[in-house]
Amino acid sequence: MFDPSGLEVLDRAECLALLATADVGRVVFTSRGLPAVQPVRFCYGQDAVWFPAEVHTDLFGAAQDGVVAFEVDAIEPRLDAGWWITVLGRAVAVSEHEVPWWPELASGSPAGQLRCVRVPVEVVSGRRVKR
């Protein structure tokens, strides 16, 4: 199936399979009433996106039961091939003990400064561009 722009529309299964192949994405959230975007390292599992956020930041504040968007992509520099996935969900801070891959997400960060954020995949959409 293609959208009006001629882009291939990906189904949920394709979106989640591609989401699982990436390591870095972007969280879109509200900060002081304005849109904000921040790149993060993340993992996908248990039908959710998981990423670390430093305490006392706007990103962590948005993770306190706030609706966020999460975007990940792999696009060729000339924009003639690639894909992108967008996830919408209500972010919540969780104990790192609930996250089996927490050590890999938190590596290289000061102890005690990070918390884990979980964004369940409530809505997912994706597109693919082909040459």
Side-chain angles (χ1 to χ4, degrees):
M1 178 202 285
F2 293 87
D3 71 9
S5 300
L7 301 173
E8 181 184 359
V9 177
L10 304 177
D11 65 24
R12 182 179 177 89
E14 290 173 300
C15 288
L16 298 180
L18 288 168
L19 184 64
T21 67
D23 298 324
V24 176
R26 292 161 210 77
V27 181
V28 182
F29 59 101
T30 302
S31 173
R32 299 180 188 119
L34 298 171
V37 180
Q38 183 170 328
V40 294
R41 292 178 52 202
F42 79 99
C43 289
Y44 168 74
Q46 302 170 353
D47 205 31
V49 171
W50 308 76
F51 61 88
E54 290 188 29
V55 296
H56 308 299
T57 63
D58 289 341
L59 176 58
F60 186 73
Q64 308 305 308
D65 200 35
V67 175
V68 301
F70 183 82
E71 191 275 341
V72 64
D73 58 58
I75 299 175
E76 295 292 323
R78 291 180 36 210
L79 302 177
D80 59 355
W83 55 265
W84 63 91
I85 308 298
T86 303
V87 169
L88 301 175
R90 188 168 296 277
V92 295
V94 297
S95 166
E96 57 269 12
H97 303 294
E98 299 176 46
V99 187
W101 46 86
W102 179 250
E104 108 184 35
L105 277 179
S107 66
S109 299
Q113 296 301 309
L114 292 180
R115 296 294 181 267
C116 187
V117 176
R118 176 181 181 269
V119 179
V121 179
E122 296 175 23
V123 176
V124 63
S125 62
R127 299 288 189 271
R128 184 183 337 260
V129 177
K130 291 186 178 180
R131 294 175 203 221

